[in-house]
Amino acid sequence: TAVLAPAAGPTSSSASSSVGPMPGVGSVGGTPMTAGGRPTSPKTDEAITCWEGLGQPIWRAIKKNTRLEDEHRRLKLELQSKEKELRELYREHPELGPCPPTLELQG
């Protein structure tokens, strides 16, 4: 059984030391330990499983939201450009009639 030294704060795989075939994994006083030096238990394992189950949908939602925000910014700029182009056409061609009020407010 491998024995881990108590960790002083967050650890990484290069900072943890242990004895045994699987570095960073072992037990202290018969309690199973994770690679980070924290004790594992059925409740801990269940919590980790739940977190991992929630993490994927949350990550996908964040990525989708980021893509949608980028598309929104792009479309907003495109709309502003088209509105400006349309206002210029109305100014260059008075025969088209008056510029629609929604375009006059923005330009």
Side-chain angles (χ1 to χ4, degrees):
T1 306
V3 178
L4 295 175
T11 62
S12 67
S13 58
S14 61
S16 63
S17 62
S18 67
V19 178
M22 295 178 63
V25 180
S27 68
V28 173
T31 304
M33 302 296 283
T34 65
R38 294 177 299 278
T40 63
S41 69
K43 285 187 177 187
T44 302
D45 293 342
E46 182 180 353
I48 290 171
T49 301
C50 287
W51 178 250
E52 288 171 347
L54 290 172
Q56 284 293 347
I58 290 170
W59 182 249
R60 282 192 299 267
I62 289 170
K63 287 172 64 175
K64 181 178 181 180
N65 187 53
T66 302
R67 281 194 312 270
L68 290 172
E69 286 175 344
D70 290 344
E71 183 180 7
H72 180 257
R73 268 188 234 96
R74 182 186 61 78
L75 290 171
K76 193 172 179 178
L77 289 173
E78 184 179 340
L79 179 61
Q80 289 172 350
S81 172
K82 296 292 182 184
E83 287 173 339
K84 181 180 177 184
E85 185 180 335
L86 189 56
R87 282 191 303 274
E88 289 172 3
L89 284 172
Y90 271 99
R91 285 187 193 116
E92 291 172 6
H93 301 282
E95 66 273 10
L96 293 174
C99 187
T102 55
L103 293 175
E104 287 176 355
L105 294 174
Q106 296 174 6

